[in-house]
Amino acid sequence: MPTTALIADDEPLLREHLASHLARAWPELQLVGQARNGREAVAMFEELQPQVVFLDVHMPGLNGIEAARSIGRRAHIVFVTAYEQYAVQAFEQGAVDYLVKPFQEARLADTVQRLRERLARPAPEMGPLLDELAAALRERAGTAAPAHAAAAPRWLQWIKASVGPTLRLIPVDEVQYLRSDEKYTLVAWQGGDALIRRSIRELVEELDPDCFVQIHRSVIVNLRHVQQVVRSGNDTADVLLKGRPERLPVSRSYLHVFRQM
């Protein structure tokens, strides 16, 4: 019998993203449902009884931690979160696995490998871990800056680039795209181009996913600077930018980014 799984996330694009990556990383996995919030996740779990549940930590109504508490030891849980600190806490406990949005294929492959190994054993006791995560969520909510105060930046605000003897601080909002080769990444912004010695993998973890999306294994684009997307006949596409002549490739793996645009 194939292993069964459920995905719960209130962001449709991320549900679809995870489902498509799981289809490649774990072809024999049977995805039995996709829930839009925590309450729906628990209801679908009770009906479908999947062996693995991917739970977004932050969901309306019933969050991922509360949903995991309802599911208990009846399934192996993988938390999906945009907040690294929660994920690290969970991972250090060794009880559950985690994925940080936007997740990478290599990280998902590690999670799949660990799940395959854990499926031979009963799901672990998560009570103390869930208590810690719930406390961390409450602490974060309690210390969040009020709406009128300046919020601490959560994502990268500047990219440092050396241009000759000069260190240039490039505002991330002005970055149009990033393109990497083996050692360097080209930063194309409204003021010109610069090379930095950082990888696309590092950068995508630090950029606001509401603006910056990976469209190719070597390309990240700022959606605010996209003029249009032109599909081609082989499940790929090209991105055209405002005020730039380049055509950026969208590989088949990332075409889903533009399906709802």
Side-chain angles (χ1 to χ4, degrees):
M1 295 287 291
T3 301
T4 54
L6 169 70
I7 294 174
D9 197 309
D10 60 320
E11 299 177 71
L13 192 60
L14 288 172
R15 291 200 306 269
E16 188 176 343
H17 188 198
L18 178 55
S20 64
H21 280 261
L22 278 171
R24 290 191 293 274
W26 198 349
E28 64 273 31
L29 180 72
Q30 182 180 352
L31 184 61
V32 295
Q34 296 187 32
R36 297 168 296 181
N37 52 58
R39 294 190 189 284
E40 193 170 273
V42 173
M44 292 179 75
F45 174 82
E46 297 296 344
E47 177 186 355
L48 303 168
Q49 297 289 303
Q51 295 159 279
V52 180
V53 181
F54 294 86
L55 281 174
D56 181 26
V57 172
H58 291 271
M59 289 187 288
L62 197 68
N63 66 36
I65 296 170
E66 293 165 333
R69 208 184 293 279
S70 295
I71 294 169
R73 301 184 64 182
R74 293 180 291 166
H76 291 266
I77 301 294
V78 178
F79 283 120
V80 183
T81 175
Y83 299 96
E84 178 79 20
Q85 67 269 33
Y86 303 142
V88 169
Q89 288 177 27
F91 185 63
E92 288 177 346
Q93 296 286 332
V96 299
D97 208 339
Y98 72 96
L99 292 168
V100 177
K101 304 176 187 177
F103 47 82
Q104 302 294 313
E105 289 197 26
R107 182 66 185 82
L108 180 61
D110 291 341
T111 294
V112 168
Q113 180 60 35
R114 278 191 283 270
L115 282 170
R116 288 178 191 271
E117 295 168 0
R118 289 176 179 175
L119 282 168
R121 307 190 297 270
E125 169 59 43
M126 295 187 296
L129 167 66
L130 296 179
D131 290 343
E132 289 184 23
L133 289 174
L137 277 177
R138 287 194 297 271
E139 180 179 356
R140 180 178 178 84
T143 57
H148 63 273
R154 202 171 71 206
W155 306 107
L156 193 64
Q157 302 295 303
W158 305 88
I159 291 178
K160 300 175 183 176
S162 296
V163 182
T166 304
L167 177 64
R168 184 183 292 274
L169 293 176
I170 303 171
V172 166
D173 287 345
E174 295 182 11
V175 173
Q176 295 162 304
Y177 71 90
L178 302 109
R179 188 168 197 162
S180 70
D181 61 12
E182 292 184 0
K183 293 183 179 179
Y184 295 92
T185 294
L186 173 73
V187 182
W189 88 102
Q190 291 170 317
D193 299 340
L195 288 176
I196 60 173
R197 197 159 186 168
R198 298 195 63 190
S199 70
I200 284 287
R201 176 174 293 187
E202 290 174 337
L203 290 164
V204 77
E205 298 284 347
E206 300 179 19
L207 294 167
D208 184 352
D210 288 337
C211 300
F212 289 89
V213 296
Q214 190 164 5
I215 59 172
H216 187 274
R217 61 181 173 81
S218 62
V219 180
I220 296 172
V221 70
N222 186 342
L223 293 174
R224 290 175 177 164
H225 294 272
V226 171
Q227 182 177 54
Q228 58 181 314
V229 180
V230 181
R231 289 176 179 269
S232 60
N234 56 351
D235 289 335
T236 62
D238 290 324
V239 166
L240 279 65
L241 299 168
K242 302 170 186 172
R244 296 192 73 105
E246 299 96 318
R247 296 173 72 97
L248 304 177
V250 183
S251 64
R252 185 177 304 173
S253 302
Y254 296 98
L255 194 59
H256 63 274
V257 171
F258 299 107
R259 281 182 184 155
Q260 296 184 349
M261 296 182 65

